[in-house]
Amino acid sequence: MWRDLKQDVERILLTEEQIKERVAQLAARIDEDYHNAEGKLVLLCILKGSVVFMADLMKAMRLPVDIDFMKVSSYGTGTRSSGSVQILLDLHRTDLADCNIIIVEDIIDSGRTLSHLSDYLKLKGVRSVRTCTLLDKPERREVIFTPDYIGFTIPDEFVVGYGLDYNEAYRELPFVGVLRPSVYAKELVEERDEK
Ligand code: PRP
């Protein structure tokens, strides 16, 4: 059934144009930082939210890249975070010692996912690891972690679009918007009642 997802968005936080401009800047910085690096450059997309950002980032870059994918689970459904990180889809490369990996994320919240993944890849023996996130919510940090490349620092609001979801919806919106609280109000009431 066709439904206009935009009606669930309270306001647009980042327009398509703002995102495009910032992605181009990030791509140029990464090109500059890695153009003399020895080894392969691998953009590692953390499924699913980073798909849209990663696709735009790699197209905006000039350096040749390999791409790869991992999936981890740090959240339950909806707005809740379980706090633990579980690897659901791993890397299966035999050339890790030759790989300069940039982990590409859509958002950093508690910092647990990127902190865990960075340590995990270092233990696996990759040549180098850096992290790149489109959005950073520093107010939500639970572990000390600073990404190497940040698109936008944003306030602690529930955002969707450009890959980010609420219960798997809204990923296809071309902008980042703040979700209307009425969309997830029921879940917040249930969360409060559980406490
Ligand atoms: C989001 C996001 C990061 C993680 C960040 O993924 O893409 O992977 O949460 O949160 P943290 O800093 O608190 O660890 P999510 O689990 O929602 O999966 P998705 O990308 O498939 O939507």
Side-chain angles (χ1 to χ4, degrees):
M1 191 185 70
W2 188 86
R3 197 166 76 83
D4 185 7
L5 295 177
K6 290 184 189 136
Q7 69 193 12
D8 293 344
V9 172
E10 190 174 72
R11 68 175 201 283
I12 294 181
L13 193 64
L14 302 166
T15 64
E16 269 187 90
E17 292 70 28
Q18 285 173 309
I19 296 171
K20 192 172 176 198
E21 193 182 327
R22 189 68 186 128
V23 169
Q25 290 169 353
L26 288 173
R29 265 200 47 207
I30 294 172
D31 280 340
E32 176 67 26
D33 290 353
Y34 284 87
H35 79 280
N36 278 330
E38 299 209 352
K40 260 177 222 172
L41 179 54
V42 180
L43 298 183
L44 175 60
C45 174
I46 308 306
L47 297 169
K48 302 175 190 173
S50 311
V51 163
V52 182
F53 175 41
M54 167 113 155
D56 284 348
L57 183 69
M58 63 192 265
K59 285 185 289 179
M61 285 176 59
R62 301 181 67 171
L63 286 180
V65 292
D66 268 23
I67 61 167
D68 226 315
F69 299 85
M70 281 183 78
K71 182 162 175 56
V72 298
S73 160
S74 58
Y75 284 67
T77 54
T79 56
R80 277 174 269 195
S81 165
S82 67
S84 63
V85 178
Q86 197 190 350
I87 292 176
L88 302 178
L89 172 69
D90 207 345
L91 267 187
H92 296 285
R93 303 179 68 104
T94 53
D95 60 348
L96 286 176
D98 192 39
C99 292
N100 297 302
I101 295 192
I102 300 179
I103 308 174
V104 179
E105 269 288 22
D106 51 345
I107 191 163
I108 303 189
D109 215 326
S110 70
R112 290 184 190 283
T113 305
L114 272 184
S115 167
H116 178 86
L117 275 177
S118 300
D119 291 347
Y120 178 76
L121 291 170
K122 283 175 200 157
L123 277 175
K124 276 193 158 226
V126 300
R127 189 176 192 106
S128 70
V129 188
R130 281 190 184 169
T131 54
C132 175
T133 187
L134 178 73
L135 307 176
D136 187 14
K137 271 189 190 174
E139 285 169 54
R140 301 266 302 183
R141 213 58 110 246
E142 291 170 17
V143 295
I144 296 169
F145 189 85
T146 307
D148 298 286
Y149 304 98
I150 299 171
F152 302 90
T153 300
I154 62 166
D156 183 16
E157 294 184 285
F158 199 91
V159 288
V160 293
Y162 200 72
L164 291 121
D165 74 311
Y166 169 65
N167 284 347
E168 295 300 326
Y170 309 100
R171 294 192 197 273
E172 67 270 49
L173 292 175
F175 53 79
V176 173
V178 178
L179 194 62
R180 280 188 197 288
S182 57
V183 177
Y184 55 90
K186 190 167 164 279
E187 191 197 340
L188 287 179
V189 170
E190 284 168 6
E191 231 175 285
R192 194 195 57 209
D193 290 348
E194 278 170 25
K195 283 181 185 161

